[in-house]
Amino acid sequence: AQKVTQAQTEISVVEKEDVTLDCVYETRDTTYYLFWYKQPPSGELVFLIRRNSFDEQNEISGRYSWNFQKSTSSFNFTITASQVVDSAVYFCALSEAWGAQKLVFGQGTRLTINP
Amino acid sequence: DTGVSQDPRHKITKRGQNVTFRCDPISEHNRLYWYRQTLGQGPEFLTYFQNEAQLEKSRLLSDRFSAERPKGSFSTLEIQRTEQGDSAMYLCASSLQGTGSYNEQFFGPGTRLTVL
């Protein structure tokens, strides 16, 4: 069975600090996809990134960066120079590569950026 | 707006009543998913459709829950004899099953159900 664990329930930092959200996953599949979603107070899930299990290259998009390490089954997310608008709940998710491709989400990390 | 829409956005009902939610996917998307998100947790898969066929149901979907997608377009999720434990956000997502290896799911705003 697939499982995603986000051990950090809540994180609170001061604006402009860097923050890393941890994600550890379990799967028996050799091919799968990993995701990060943002859920602001409005409730709608906002897609941030998708990663194929064969692509371990780290990715940077503006202040966001992702570190995928297959050896440790981790897919961590770092926000550099955090801003108040980054405050939200962030979810890591895992999907099988074929079939239903349903998403398995972690419990989420509530990130609060204080001014 | 051409995104996924859900109606209603909020529903308050008394225990024992039936409720029905609607999801309109992105036009041309042939897959439609339902997820449930309880307070403080991540969304959990309930069921999905490929066109009008319901292909998989989670064990979370008890006999009181039924979902339909009669013409392969919009979908409804009905909960009969609601219980307080049904209080949650119900999320709908759609995707286009094509020739690519992954078909991204686009989420709607959700329907928040409160059972008193």
Side-chain angles (χ1 to χ4, degrees), chain A residues 80-101:
Chain A
T80 303
S82 60
Q83 300 176 2
V84 173
V85 293
D86 295 326
S87 297
V89 180
Y90 290 85
F91 291 98
C92 180
L94 170 67
S95 167
E96 55 202 350
W98 315 108
Q101 295 182 331

Side-chain angles (χ1 to χ4, degrees), chain B residues 37-100:
Chain B
Q37 184 179 16
T38 53
L39 201 61
Q41 300 296 315
E44 296 173 291
F45 169 78
L46 292 178
T47 187
Y48 94 101
F49 293 83
Q50 174 105 7
N51 298 311
E52 64 274 10
Q54 188 174 18
L55 297 185
E56 187 171 334
K57 292 192 290 187
S58 160
R59 284 176 289 182
L60 292 175
L61 215 63
S62 74
D63 292 344
R64 297 184 297 104
F65 287 69
S66 63
E68 294 183 345
R69 195 183 184 199
K71 296 183 179 179
S73 56
F74 73 92
S75 174
T76 58
L77 177 67
E78 180 183 16
I79 308 175
Q80 295 183 330
R81 304 181 303 282
T82 52
E83 301 172 356
Q84 287 184 326
D86 297 330
S87 295
M89 174 80 87
Y90 290 83
L91 294 164
C92 176
S94 71
S95 69
L96 178 63
Q97 177 69 27
T99 56

